[in-house]
């Protein structure tokens, strides 16, 4: 068997060995004396077993106790106390060397730039290594600007070939009914003298590789282990019609029992974890991140037993994420204990109780309703969406809003100005509105709102309060069964929120000249109404409110001033102001001419207008890492003046003006 994506086997499966026997086999170092450093109740059970001369060597496919890897002196959260000790299940490990590295699965820049994804040898039955390679291709392209002239890999960022090992598992936070995926990438060049973990969470609702271009690209080439969580979302879709989901290795499951996610409340169509877990995963984002870091300590102990134990006292932990991942690491920052050394949050989706702040669901449902009409009154919109194509649809929206009494004006132009004025009054900037045209044109606002309504209200897949369903669709939009070929690519190609990857958003309320309006009005009413469904959604939103970061924890927030999906004015600005007023060590970099999606800078008009945000996230990581080495002061608050490159020009350092 070659190294490429192979699963390591264990000769010790289901056997108990004495410590002397393990030493003879070269699999265990001399057992240290049990000391009070490991005095948590779960650590006592783990280490006492080895200290008495017998130790269960658990193969990776069985559950293990994360408490053995942590250190009680740095503040154990609920996930590591007593009966709530984190348990990791469905564990597996794989080697990635030669033409199958950790960062790009051997694709490199040229392979990632390919317009078609890596093919499966059997389109209905991909191998785990094939599913992984395709997932890396999709997630790199979804997050980073890899287009020629965009500067990735030359001006900033790394696509270095990084050999190493991957450790996969499922973890469940206390009280949750569904697990989240955790993954640790340990490079062969891991620096055992300068131990470091970069812990991250996927952006959006992406799968487990959803932060590869954020954390992996920075941490792996530096010799750090990188720990990931899909934070209870991800691409473990479930086909309720066929009873088939996604197995732990990313391939289609043989049935319900082998599926990572197989909800009971799905009778037809497709269910996915973010919307239909029943857990409101956003409420636990911080604990997901913490558990990923715990799993990294365990994985390092298995990778380097002669250097164990790895714990939060002797291993640096930096958290980084963008978008929803940025919100997740800020939620991790509020957890008790000093287990975390620094945080960098890019364009974070965060719900804070502070002046000017708005919840994601509030501004998303508002944008879904009003923005298509309002954008008719905004000049110089980036293309796409192509104005000529969307103008008739947006004009129809203006008319339907006027008929519903939501805007004023006798003609489309006046109605558009009315909608625009409402949005400006609600805090939308012109920069956010222009960049938001992308989300309006691609119907992203509706897709996000429908998913989050289900998640916040903890509704089953067949019980969305606004009648939305998810299924493969026929050309006329009607639901149809998913095919084996579609299911085979879900884990790799999906973004975690349909439509996409062969799964559509089915709107059962479509009617009238503006057929999407009834469903959108229903979604908006869940934010503002007082019926039972609205109260469930509002309660779920309240559960996601962020707390203050731990006192003394360095936090750098990086956000584009033109972000049209998670506007700066509703999220980072109020969060940073609130945290600084409370005396927390939080800094804000505001990046001019940066919007939310680096991945769309491959579109010529977006490349001409906007700079990527990832270079500033990497730079912030460099600064906090140097600060932790006592080499530099933390970065100060900064408004970074950038220069758009213009049409047909390559990006260079002068355009970015990154703080040094």
């Amino acid at each position: 068997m070659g190294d490429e994506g192979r699963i390591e086997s264990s000769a010790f499966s289901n056997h108990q060995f004495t410590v002397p026997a393990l030493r003879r086999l070269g699999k265990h170092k001399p057992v240290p004396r049990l000391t009070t450093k490991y005095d948590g109740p779960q650590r006592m059970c783990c280490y006492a077993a080895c200290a008495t001369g017998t130790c269960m060597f658990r193969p990776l496919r069985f559950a293990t106790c994360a408490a053995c890897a942590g250190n009680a002196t740095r503040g154990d959260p609920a996930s590591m106390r007593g009966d709530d000790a984190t348990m990791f299940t469905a564990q597996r490990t794989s080697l990635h060397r030669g033409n199958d590295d950790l960062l790009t699965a051997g694709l490199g820049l040229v392979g990632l730039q390919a317009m078609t994804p890596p093919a499966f040898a059997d389109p209905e039955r991909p191998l785990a290594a094939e599913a992984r390679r395709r997932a890396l291709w999709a997630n790199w392209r979804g997050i980073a600007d890899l287009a020629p002239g965009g500067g990735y890999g030359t001006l900033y960022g790394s696509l270095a070939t990084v050999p190493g090992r991957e450790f996969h598992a499922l973890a469940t936070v206390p009280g949750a009914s569904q697990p989240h995926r955790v993954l640790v990438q340990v490079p062969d060049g891991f620096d055992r003298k300068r131990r470091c973990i970069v812990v991250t969470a996927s952006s959006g609702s992406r799968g487990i590789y959803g932060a590869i271009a954020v954390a992996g690209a920075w941490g792996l080439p530096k010799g750090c282990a990188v720990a990931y969580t899909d934070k209870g979302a991800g691409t473990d879709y479930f086909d309720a019609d066929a009873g088939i989901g996604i197995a732990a290795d990313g391939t289609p499951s043989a049935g319900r029992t082998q599926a990572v996610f197989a909800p009971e409340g799905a009778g037809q169509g497709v269910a996915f974890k973010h919307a239909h877990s029943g857990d409101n995963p956003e409420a636990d984002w911080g604990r997901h991140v913490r558990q990923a870091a715990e799993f990294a300590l365990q994985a390092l102990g298995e990778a380097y037993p002669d250097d164990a134990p790895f714990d939060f006292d002797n291993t640096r932990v930096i958290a980084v994420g963008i978008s929803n991942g940025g919100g997740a690491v800020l939620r991790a920052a509020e957890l008790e204990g000093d287990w975390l050394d620094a945080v960098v949050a890019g364009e974070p989706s965060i719900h804070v109780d502070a002046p000017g702040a708005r919840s994601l669901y509030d501004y998303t449902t508002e944008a879904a309703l009003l923005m298509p009409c309002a954008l008719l009154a905004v000049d110089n919109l980036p293309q796409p969406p192509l104005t000529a194509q969307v103008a008739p649809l947006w004009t129809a929206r203006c008319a339907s809003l006027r008929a519903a009494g939501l805007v004023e004006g006798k003609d489309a132009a006046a109605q558009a100005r009315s909608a625009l004025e409402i949005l400006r009054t609600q805090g939308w900037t012109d920069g956010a509105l222009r960049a938001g045209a992308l989300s309006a044109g691609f119907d992203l606002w509706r897709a996000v709102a429908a998913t989050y309504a289900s998640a916040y209200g903890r509704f089953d897949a067949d019980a969305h309060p606004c009648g939305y369903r998810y299924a493969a669709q026929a050309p006329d939009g009607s639901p149809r069964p998913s095919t084996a070929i579609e299911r085979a690519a879900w884990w790799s190609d999906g973004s975690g929120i349909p439509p996409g990857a062969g799964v559509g958003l089915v709107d059962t309320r479509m009617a009238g000249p503006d057929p999407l309006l009834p469903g959108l009005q229903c979604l908006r009413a869940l934010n503002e109404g007082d019926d039972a469904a609205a109260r469930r959604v509002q309660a779920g939103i309240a559960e996601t409110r962020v707390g203050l970061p731990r006192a003394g924890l360095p936090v750098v927030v990086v956000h584009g001033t033109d972000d049209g999906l998670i506007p700066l004015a509703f999220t980072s600005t109020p969060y940073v102001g609130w945290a600084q007023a409370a005396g927390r060590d939080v800094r804000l970099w505001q990046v001019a001419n940066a919007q939310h999606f680096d991945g769309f800078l491959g579109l010529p008009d977006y490349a001409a207008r906007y700079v990527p945000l990832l270079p500033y996230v990497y730079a912030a990581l460099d600064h906090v890492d140097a600060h932790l080495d006592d080499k530099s002061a933390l970065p100060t608050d900064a408004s970074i003046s950038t220069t758009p490159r213009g049409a047909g020009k390559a990006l260079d350092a002068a355009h970015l003006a990154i703080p040094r």
Side-chain angles (χ1 to χ4, degrees):
M1 180 183 293
D3 282 349
E4 182 175 342
R6 72 176 177 87
I7 304 299
E8 291 182 354
S9 60
S10 172
F12 308 114
S13 187
N14 285 329
H15 289 81
Q16 182 172 321
F17 287 80
T18 64
V19 170
L22 288 172
R23 287 175 185 155
R24 288 195 299 271
L25 290 167
K27 298 296 185 181
H28 204 284
K29 72 171 188 174
V31 177
R33 183 179 299 275
L34 184 67
T35 69
T36 56
K37 183 176 182 182
Y38 303 101
D39 60 357
Q42 299 300 318
R43 294 183 185 83
M44 286 292 287
C45 74
C46 294
Y47 281 85
C50 290
T52 57
T54 61
C55 176
M56 178 66 76
F57 187 96
R58 289 186 173 94
L60 288 174
R61 62 179 175 271
F62 292 111
T64 56
C65 170
C68 295
N71 186 328
T73 64
R74 289 188 67 176
D76 296 346
S79 63
M80 290 182 69
R81 290 200 196 109
D83 293 337
D84 288 331
T86 304
M87 298 301 295
F88 299 113
T89 60
Q91 297 190 55
R92 59 189 178 91
T93 185
S94 54
L95 297 179
H96 300 281
R97 295 169 181 149
N99 63 346
D100 178 30
D101 70 309
L102 293 177
L103 204 51
T104 74
L107 293 171
L109 178 60
V110 173
L112 294 175
Q113 287 176 330
M115 297 303 293
T116 56
F120 300 150
D122 182 340
E124 296 185 1
R125 298 175 184 83
L127 300 175
E130 292 176 324
R132 174 184 178 271
R133 181 176 292 111
R134 185 156 166 159
L136 285 167
W137 178 88
N139 282 287
W140 266 104
R141 291 172 61 86
I143 298 302
D145 174 19
L146 303 175
Y152 201 95
T154 55
L155 186 60
Y156 68 95
S158 176
L159 289 162
T161 299
V162 182
R165 286 169 280 183
E166 289 189 349
F167 297 79
H168 292 258
L170 303 177
T172 305
V173 299
S177 63
Q178 299 291 340
H180 63 110
R181 286 184 182 261
V182 289
L183 159 67
V184 179
Q185 293 182 312
V186 180
D188 288 346
F190 177 75
D191 191 339
R192 288 181 279 175
K193 296 186 181 299
R194 185 182 180 272
R195 305 171 173 207
C196 57
I197 294 169
V198 181
V199 63
T200 188
S202 296
S203 64
S205 301
R206 289 183 175 275
I208 194 62
Y209 291 103
I212 187 70
V214 181
W218 186 84
L220 292 174
K222 294 181 181 295
C224 294
V226 181
Y228 304 81
T229 171
D230 69 7
K231 60 187 190 323
T235 52
D236 293 312
Y237 294 2
F238 182 75
D239 184 345
D241 298 313
I244 296 174
I246 305 298
D249 65 0
T251 62
S253 69
R256 293 185 64 95
T257 57
Q258 294 79 32
V260 169
F261 176 60
E264 296 297 332
Q268 57 184 339
V270 178
F272 57 102
K273 202 161 49 171
H274 188 162
H276 305 128
S277 68
D279 289 330
N280 188 15
E282 187 179 340
D284 287 320
W285 278 354
R287 295 198 290 173
H288 296 143
V289 172
R290 168 72 193 226
Q291 288 187 335
E294 292 169 5
F295 186 56
L297 295 174
Q298 174 184 303
L300 288 171
E302 294 181 14
Y304 300 105
D306 289 343
D307 297 295
F310 289 83
D311 56 49
F312 288 131
D313 269 347
N314 63 29
T315 307
R316 176 176 296 178
V317 181
I318 299 174
V320 63
I322 65 169
S323 192
N324 282 357
V329 297
L330 292 181
R331 295 300 309 276
E334 73 188 51
L335 296 180
E336 64 183 33
D338 60 348
W339 63 279
L340 194 55
D341 295 299
V343 174
V344 174
E347 55 192 22
S349 177
I350 201 73
H351 177 32
V352 58
D353 186 8
R358 301 179 66 185
S359 74
L360 172 74
Y361 192 78
D362 178 23
Y363 63 76
T364 294
T365 52
E366 178 182 74
L369 267 177
L370 297 177
M371 191 174 288
C373 175
L375 290 175
L376 291 174
V378 178
D379 60 1
N380 195 29
L381 291 179
Q383 307 289 305
L386 300 178
T387 302
Q389 294 178 346
V390 298
L393 300 174
W394 291 358
T395 299
R397 174 59 51 80
C398 287
S400 62
L401 291 175
R402 176 67 181 89
L406 298 178
V407 299
E408 299 176 346
K410 295 182 178 180
D411 56 28
Q415 293 156 5
R417 290 192 298 271
S418 175
L420 179 60
E421 183 58 30
I422 293 171
L423 292 178
R424 284 173 170 166
T425 300
Q426 291 289 91
W428 292 85
T429 65
D430 285 355
L433 288 165
R434 282 193 176 86
L438 189 76
S439 298
F442 292 154
D443 199 22
L444 183 57
W445 297 120
R446 184 175 67 119
V448 170
T451 293
Y452 281 76
S454 187
Y456 290 143
R458 304 173 190 261
F459 295 107
D460 288 340
D462 294 337
H464 196 291
C466 296
Y468 291 103
R469 291 178 48 209
Y470 298 89
Q473 291 177 288
D476 64 358
S478 61
R480 62 163 176 81
S482 297
T483 67
I485 291 176
E486 289 168 338
R487 287 192 298 266
W490 280 349
W491 189 77
S492 301
D493 293 0
S495 69
I497 292 184
V503 181
L505 175 60
V506 180
D507 185 349
T508 62
R509 296 192 176 206
M510 292 180 67
D514 182 6
L516 303 185
L517 183 69
L520 294 176
Q521 287 179 303
C522 176
L523 291 170
R524 184 62 178 165
L526 295 174
N527 186 72
E528 300 175 332
D530 192 38
D531 61 16
R535 289 194 297 271
R536 284 176 63 170
V537 170
Q538 292 158 18
I541 294 170
E543 291 173 353
T544 68
R545 190 172 291 118
V546 67
L548 284 168
R550 188 189 78 230
L553 176 67
V555 177
V556 180
V557 178
V558 182
H559 213 132
T561 60
D562 290 347
D563 194 320
L565 183 71
I566 300 175
L568 174 69
F570 302 151
T571 53
S572 291
T573 296
Y575 171 80
V576 172
W578 171 69
Q580 290 179 342
R584 297 306 196 260
D585 193 5
V586 180
R587 315 339 175 58
L588 174 62
W589 284 3
Q590 300 180 65
V591 184
N593 303 305
Q595 47 88 54
H596 195 79
F597 300 104
D598 280 15
F600 282 116
L601 297 184
L603 299 170
D605 198 17
Y606 286 78
R609 294 167 181 254
Y610 299 115
V611 298
L613 194 72
L614 275 179
Y616 306 93
V617 174
Y618 297 152
L621 285 166
D622 290 338
H623 277 274
V624 298
D625 194 41
H627 171 72
L628 295 173
D629 285 340
D630 296 323
K631 293 180 180 177
S632 71
L634 280 170
T636 60
D637 286 348
S639 294
I640 302 170
S641 298
T642 66
T643 305
R645 58 176 130 159
K649 297 180 181 178
L651 189 70
D652 63 35
H655 296 129
L656 297 176
I658 295 174
R660 301 297 180 187

